[in-house]
Amino acid sequence: MLDIKEKTKEIVSEFDLSDESITTMINHYILQTKQGLKETSVRGMPMIPTFVTSVPNGTEKGTFLAVDLGGTNFRVCSVKLNGDSSYELIQEKAPIPHDLMVGKSYEFFNYLALQVEKFLKFHHSDKFCLEPSSNPRTPEVFKMGFTFSFPVDQTALNRGKLIRWTKGFDIKDAVGKDIVGLLQSHLNMRGLPVHVAALVNDTVGTLMCRSYTKPSGGRTLIGCIFGTGTNGAYSQKIKTIPKFDAAAHPEITDKIMVINTEWGSFDNDLISIPNTRFDKQLNENTPNKGFHMFEKRISGMFLGELLRLVLLELQQDGYIFSDEDKIANAETQRNNLTTPWSIDTSVCSKIDADESSQLHDTENIIKTFFGYDTNFEQRHAIQLIVKAIGKRSAYLSAVPIAGVIIHTKALEKFETIDIGADGSVVEFYPGFESMVREALRKTEIGDDEERITIGIAKDGSGVGAALCALVA
Ligand code: GLC
């Protein structure tokens, strides 16, 4: 039997990506980009035309509503765009109960409409009347942008059928339905003066928001999310999107269109991306088995689960968490080690960042989340594994970024390139951006990595959705 050091080394090396494999993935990414722009296929990269045909420049004005559905919370906000790259935002968040995430669409959209009603009653009761009979004033109709961060086959700016759920959602009777229609009908049932004017992916919102707010400088090429899930949007000329029926939309043929790549579904057939035994086990436990395979190696929903699976193997092989190490205190007796999805990525972030002597912080985290005592050697092994999972996530994240930059030839066209990013992983995972940059330097982009700026676009789904509602 290997000792714990050798065993750790072996696992760490399974998460390692060679420079060559990064190049291979980028080439495959560009190939799948081109295929996805040509025709939609079930297993290919969706490359969805979004019907957003311009990006803002900071002078846009007005007040809009925005709702955001994409992860564990539903957010409702109103956004006042001041026309000088600034904005004011009021927002409320409601957690989405798990039984609604996997239940029926009627209950689900009813819950969303209820949150909008509560928000309007609380924050905007002065602007319109909710009960027209008691007040003859015509209610002001709010234009709303709906940030819906799942793959949708969009047929207009405010129409789109859900292709499939991701990130643990599984409301079966909503698949194939027009998502805007579902929300609008529940808003109407409640008599709310709201018109859903735009259906927006969070990456598109991020691209719009960053374009509106960014300090002067390079043009924003990509809006991307590294959060619960991962995805990116960028624009290209409509004439260069073969699968888009430009003849059916003559008014926009000469414009650009923002494309929602759904890069989480890059290489679903695992031709170029890594596939360790832990990745295989994780996939088996997801409702969207075989899809969004790239996302399952990168984003916040999955990193903690990958760690759990590795730790479980280490325990089964007798390296950590023996019966004697079990803490007898009932409060720390959790079944997290054997319960799928019990470990949040923030656990990985904390262990990765631990510089305390003897890794005492890690010791406490492990006690709290797994209920076991560890010695220094074991904690050191666990930290190396966490770092390997985190680094692989960041290196993989560089693949679609490089892919879009190379595909659009942006470095030949612009002096600097700006990227708007959002999500808990890029924001909070220690050293994430530096690791992405390190990987970008290993690609054909090389030293030109210095010509790329990356900025966090915090309110992408609120402000971006408002900007889309404005152009609607
Ligand atoms: C998932 C969704 C995608 C979204 C991303 C980030 O990949 O399919 O639409 O943009 O998560 O939230």
Side-chain angles (χ1 to χ4, degrees), residues 11 278 304-321 337 343 347 351 366 370 378 381-383 385-386 389:
I11 294 178
F278 308 107
E305 177 65 359
L306 280 174
L307 174 64
R308 188 189 70 81
L309 291 167
V310 178
L311 295 186
L312 196 61
E313 181 178 295
L314 287 180
Q315 185 200 39
Q316 283 161 356
D317 292 354
Y319 291 102
I320 56 168
F321 301 170
L337 190 62
I343 302 303
V347 171
I351 296 178
I366 293 171
F370 297 102
Q378 293 170 328
I382 293 174
Q383 190 184 48
I385 287 163
V386 166
I389 295 173

Side-chain angles (χ1 to χ4, degrees), residues 260-331:
N260 166 16
T261 64
E262 288 292 335
W263 71 37
S265 255
F266 163 53
D267 203 5
N268 279 332
D269 291 329
L270 307 174
I271 288 165
S272 67
I273 64 177
N275 194 27
T276 68
R277 60 187 177 284
F278 308 107
D279 296 309
K280 288 179 196 159
Q281 289 170 43
L282 179 144
N283 177 47
E284 284 305 310
N285 250 330
T286 54
N288 59 342
K289 239 185 261 180
F291 286 94
H292 260 45
M293 299 301 267
F294 189 57
E295 173 166 281
K296 289 174 188 169
R297 283 138 182 81
I298 293 183
S299 66
M301 175 153 183
F302 306 99
L303 299 184
E305 177 65 359
L306 280 174
L307 174 64
R308 188 189 70 81
L309 291 167
V310 178
L311 295 186
L312 196 61
E313 181 178 295
L314 287 180
Q315 185 200 39
Q316 283 161 356
D317 292 354
Y319 291 102
I320 56 168
F321 301 170
S322 69
D323 285 348
E324 296 92 79
D325 295 334
K326 210 166 197 169
I327 299 166
N329 175 344
E331 264 189 50

Side-chain angles (χ1 to χ4, degrees), residues 48 69-71 148-152 164-167 201-204 224-232 260 262-265 288 292 295 299:
I48 301 163
L69 177 73
F148 182 76
S149 305
F150 300 93
V152 159
R164 58 177 167 266
W165 290 104
T166 52
K167 300 177 284 195
N201 186 264
D202 51 359
T203 56
V204 179
C224 51
I225 304 282
F226 299 100
T228 310
T230 182
N231 187 13
N260 166 16
E262 288 292 335
W263 71 37
S265 255
N288 59 342
H292 260 45
E295 173 166 281
S299 66

Side-chain angles (χ1 to χ4, degrees), residues 141-209:
V141 172
F142 278 93
K143 272 185 163 186
M144 179 195 267
F146 180 10
T147 301
F148 182 76
S149 305
F150 300 93
V152 159
D153 181 12
Q154 218 153 340
T155 47
L157 187 55
N158 70 344
R159 252 199 325 275
K161 287 183 190 152
L162 175 62
I163 299 173
R164 58 177 167 266
W165 290 104
T166 52
K167 300 177 284 195
F169 279 74
D170 196 18
I171 304 162
K172 294 201 171 57
D173 68 322
V175 175
K177 301 256 168 67
D178 172 27
I179 292 300
V180 172
L182 289 173
L183 180 61
Q184 186 72 62
S185 67
H186 283 269
L187 295 170
N188 294 350
M189 277 184 238
R190 290 179 179 273
L192 302 177
V194 177
H195 167 64
V196 185
L199 179 63
V200 188
N201 186 264
D202 51 359
T203 56
V204 179
T206 301
L207 177 63
M208 301 291 274
C209 178

